[in-house]
Structure formats: structure tokens, C-alpha cells
Amino acid sequence: MSDDQRHQTPAEPAAASAPAPAAAPAAGPEPEPIRFFGTTWVKHDGGYRLRRAAVAAGALVTAVAAALLLRLSYEGLEIGNVGPFLSISVVVLFAIASSIAFAKTWDSFSRRPAPSSDEAALKGLKAIGFIGSLIAYFLRCFVEAPGEKLRRAEYERATAEYARRRGSRTGNPAARRPKRKK
């Protein structure tokens, strides 16, 4: 006997440890959750504004900390006396990578990438230019939750289509009269 079975009295069988039955599925399409926001973006409830402020502040603090870290690594290159070519190359690499990461991240807030796009090939470049992605998150939080406009449009389209499909189903189709032949 396991410990759980020994401590149960006959009045409380194993039902206490059994999982609860699943809730009935909600009518209509479910909104897609957004990272850090969940589904609070739908009705702007559940601390939505506070979450937007926290994500913006977190992105800004992380971007500043990352910039300071990059500054320290650049100073390490200067102390190591690696030469001007490598020092300039590192600065240019991070600037280009950050600008590409910013553009791709900003673009991802308004449209989904195509299945055959080069997003997978750019993951390494976006990882190097993560400061650009953080700045995109910071700036987007002033307007909305990052990606909210895209997901809201998709959700409203799915809700309208669901309502249209449900609205056309009136009555029992078996009880309908057959159509007259002309």
C-alpha cells in the first residue's frame, strides 16, 4: 500500500486524488496567448497596463545592461591591443546585427513570417543583435502588447467566422421540408 492509500478513510476513497473532470469547451475560438500577457490583451484586464509597463521597463533595463556588457567586452579588446580592424569590425557587426534584429522583431509584431522564410537562418544573427530585439519590445509596449494587433485581427476574424457558421445553423436539418421541384 502506498502512503496515500493508508491515510485514506473509507469515507474518502481515491476520488480526492483523482483528477477533476475537464471543463466543457468554451463556445467559439480561443484567443492566442502572448508571452508575458497571456490572454489579458483581449479585454485589457488582469493587470494589462501594469504588465505592459513591466515588460517595457524589463526590456529597457536588459538592453542597458547588455549594452554595458558589450562596452566592457569592447574595452577588453582595447586592453588586449587587438588592433583597430578587429575593434571596428566588432562594433560594426553588433550594429548591423542589432538593426536587423530590430527590424525583424518589429516586423513580427504586425505579420506572421511565411513558412518558407529565412527566419530560421537569421536566428543566430538575431541572437547576436539581441539589443535590437529588446529595444523593439520596449518601443512596442508604449502602443500595445507586442503582437497584440496581429493576434487581435486574427481573433476577431475567427470569432466573426465562428458566429457566421453558427448563425447559419438554425433549426433541426432533419425536420426541414424537402425542396419542391419546379
Side-chain angles (χ1 to χ4, degrees):
M1 268 190 161
S2 69
D3 289 337
D4 291 336
Q5 291 173 340
R6 273 186 249 157
H7 295 297
Q8 291 176 355
T9 62
E12 55 177 27
S17 61
E30 292 292 320
E32 183 180 351
I34 298 177
R35 182 181 301 168
F36 305 121
F37 295 92
T39 56
T40 61
W41 60 268
V42 176
K43 296 180 182 175
H44 292 188
D45 60 352
Y48 171 79
R49 293 189 192 281
L50 182 63
R51 288 178 190 217
R52 264 184 43 199
V55 168
L60 182 63
V61 167
T62 307
V64 168
L68 289 174
L69 185 64
L70 288 176
R71 173 73 180 154
L72 287 174
S73 28
Y74 178 77
E75 287 177 3
L77 289 174
E78 290 296 317
I79 291 171
N81 200 16
V82 294
F85 177 74
L86 185 59
S87 297
I88 292 172
S89 297
V90 167
V91 170
V92 169
L93 169 74
F94 275 104
I96 291 172
S98 290
S99 64
I100 290 172
F102 177 87
K104 291 294 183 181
T105 304
W106 191 265
D107 224 19
S108 72
F109 295 148
S110 58
R111 66 177 177 83
R112 297 226 184 241
S116 64
S117 71
D118 57 347
E119 289 295 318
L122 291 177
K123 281 189 178 189
L125 190 62
K126 285 173 72 175
I128 293 170
F130 64 98
I131 294 176
S133 292
L134 291 170
I135 292 172
Y137 261 86
F138 170 70
L139 293 175
R140 193 58 169 207
C141 283
F142 285 122
V143 179
E144 65 182 6
E148 177 182 347
K149 183 177 181 181
L150 171 68
R151 286 178 176 82
R152 185 172 300 283
E154 291 173 350
Y155 178 64
E156 287 174 354
R157 192 176 322 114
T159 304
E161 187 172 321
Y162 177 79
R164 183 183 56 82
R165 283 191 321 245
R166 296 299 298 169
S168 64
R169 296 181 187 179
T170 57
N172 183 357
R176 289 186 189 156
R177 289 184 164 175
K179 292 184 180 181
R180 288 187 189 178
K181 294 183 182 180
K182 292 183 181 185

